[in-house]
Amino acid sequence: GEIDNQYMIPSQYLKTMVELYEKQKDYAKVIEYADIVLKSTDYIEEKLIFEIRYFLCMALAKRRNRRMLSEVQNISGADHSFLLGFYYRMVGSYDKALEELNKSLVIRKNFSKAKREKVQVLINLERYEEALDVAKENYENDKANPYHAHAYFLCLIKGDEFESNESVITEVVDNLGKATSDLGKELYIRCRALKEAYLDKNIDMALALIENAFKESNNPIYSLQDKFDICEHLKAYGEMDKVIREVENLKMQDTYGKERALYRMKALYAAYVNNEKEVAKIMKQIEEKGIKINLAILKKKIDNIFKN
């Protein structure tokens, strides 16, 4: 039930904020609770204030709220740069994100969160080879962490030498299969699906697996992105069009990620079916609507599709 705020002490607020952030993804409530505690900080220990401010910044970044740029000024050092990097990734400014994360790692060389975030930014920039060494290091330092395993898997499977890395890819997938968390279980199925597509060229099995991941996921847009990737890799253009319809019909509270995925898919599909007029129309819509897609990467990919 609802807890009356007058009975909450700062440490309870923090514990609740962590739960809301990590499990329930209720970022608005995290911000609300942080604001209540931070109205009076005179009698709260410094470490607790830092943790509350930290989760406030993370929640604001998740909601892509520009207020985060103001709040983060209350945090210094490596954490300041890390949080900025996280925010810039959330809003699609990947070059700025990379710049801030590199600053963070200069200040704190073994900052695991910053390393993980850097890998994610490089993956978003499709710089898989560049991300590989850091992803491998993260994974080997903590093989039980599903985020690290998934990031390393993506760098391996989407790199230029993915076929020669089959044994390592299989090991990472098998290790993910030991995960007990809901996230770990979902990532395991998604990785199995991609492995079936990239290494075994088995589209039926890949699509069956990704369909299971979609049904079980709390945030199915990621499964649909993997599904599109599978269809793209195996040149199943009719299936790619079906995925676009699925994304259009997907009901999500956070439409930001959906919109970004949808327009990217539409542009690539139009290129694969050799519809230059439709590609130009979609690219214009992306710019006019201010959709945070890295246009340089997308244009390069589309150019390569037309060349081939």
Side-chain angles (χ1 to χ4, degrees), residues 31-32 34-35 38 56-57 60 64-73 87:
I31 294 164
E32 180 187 328
D35 285 342
L38 294 174
L56 170 61
C57 288
L60 287 166
R64 300 167 189 89
N65 188 327
R66 286 182 59 82
R67 178 188 159 196
M68 189 272 181
L69 296 173
S70 171
E71 292 294 341
V72 78
Q73 304 310 319
Y87 170 78

Side-chain angles (χ1 to χ4, degrees), residues 245-275:
R245 304 293 157 249
E246 286 184 86
V247 174
E248 285 178 331
N249 294 328
L250 189 64
K251 301 231 176 348
M252 291 176 63
Q253 282 188 333
D254 179 9
T255 57
Y256 184 91
K258 171 183 169 177
E259 193 174 48
R260 204 162 49 173
L262 181 60
Y263 276 86
R264 178 182 178 276
M265 289 177 188
K266 282 184 172 182
L268 290 174
Y269 173 70
Y272 279 115
V273 297
N274 204 31
N275 190 338

Side-chain angles (χ1 to χ4, degrees), residues 87-105:
Y87 170 78
Y88 285 130
R89 177 170 74 84
M90 287 293 105
V91 299
S93 298
Y94 299 129
D95 291 332
K96 283 185 179 180
L98 208 51
E99 182 183 336
E100 292 297 337
L101 292 167
N102 284 332
K103 284 182 191 175
S104 180
L105 287 165

Side-chain angles (χ1 to χ4, degrees), residues 155-256:
C155 292
L156 289 165
I157 203 84
K158 295 193 176 184
D160 296 334
E161 307 295 325
F162 71 90
E163 288 176 330
S164 64
N165 286 319
E166 182 171 359
S167 61
V168 186
I169 289 168
T170 301
E171 180 219 310
V172 176
V173 174
D174 289 346
N175 191 48
L176 256 177
K178 299 172 188 174
T180 56
S181 67
D182 289 343
L183 172 69
K185 290 174 184 175
E186 180 190 333
L187 291 177
Y188 169 61
I189 300 172
R190 285 169 52 197
C191 288
R192 276 187 61 202
L194 288 165
K195 179 176 176 287
E196 287 287 342
Y198 276 73
L199 292 176
D200 302 323
K201 309 289 190 289
N202 187 339
I203 190 165
D204 291 332
M205 180 59 77
L207 292 179
L209 286 165
I210 209 67
E211 188 63 30
N212 286 340
F214 174 79
K215 288 175 183 175
E216 297 297 323
S217 176
N218 292 323
N219 201 353
I221 187 66
Y222 297 116
S223 297
L224 289 177
Q225 285 176 295
D226 284 343
K227 189 175 183 180
F228 187 88
D229 184 10
I230 287 164
C231 298
E232 181 185 5
H233 184 74
L234 295 176
K235 298 180 170 55
Y237 303 132
E239 293 294 332
M240 286 168 68
D241 190 38
K242 290 179 187 176
V243 178
I244 290 170
R245 304 293 157 249
E246 286 184 86
V247 174
E248 285 178 331
N249 294 328
L250 189 64
K251 301 231 176 348
M252 291 176 63
Q253 282 188 333
D254 179 9
T255 57
Y256 184 91

Side-chain angles (χ1 to χ4, degrees), residues 285-296:
Q285 288 174 340
I286 290 170
E287 293 194 66
E288 287 177 348
K289 290 173 178 277
I291 297 166
K292 293 293 186 177
I293 294 175
N294 191 303
L295 285 173

